[in-house]
Amino acid sequence: MDLKKFLEDNPIINTAQLAKEMWPENKSSRSKLSNKLNENIVGSGKQRVTEKDIEDAKRVLKKLSDNIDKL
């Protein structure tokens, strides 16, 4: 499963907040993630989701999972 499919299948996850946690130093993180997830738009010149992006998303989601387990 790719990141876009995962997020579509789990709409409870706020992608804007996920992006903010993935790239805390980037003030346009929401747009960055949106561009990467929608990279298949013809002629858009958008960025692609990289292995590093997937690792960053997993890191953030793992932190969320760990916090849920503490409940």
Side-chain angles (χ1 to χ4, degrees), residues 46-62:
K46 306 243 187 240
Q47 302 172 353
R48 296 183 188 273
V49 174
T50 65
E51 287 299 319
K52 174 80 167 84
D53 297 331
I54 293 170
E55 289 174 18
D56 288 342
K58 284 181 177 181
R59 174 185 47 80
V60 173
L61 294 169
K62 174 70 171 132

Side-chain angles (χ1 to χ4, degrees), residues 32-47:
K32 180 176 180 173
L33 182 57
S34 178
N35 288 344
K36 286 176 175 268
L37 294 174
N38 296 311
E39 51 90 9
N40 60 351
I41 299 171
V42 177
S44 66
K46 306 243 187 240
Q47 302 172 353

Side-chain angles (χ1 to χ4, degrees), residues 15-44:
T15 56
Q17 189 60 39
L18 175 63
K20 186 177 178 181
E21 294 288 328
M22 288 172 67
W23 304 293
E25 71 289 343
N26 187 328
K27 293 183 185 205
S28 301
S29 60
R30 180 179 175 198
S31 295
K32 180 176 180 173
L33 182 57
S34 178
N35 288 344
K36 286 176 175 268
L37 294 174
N38 296 311
E39 51 90 9
N40 60 351
I41 299 171
V42 177
S44 66

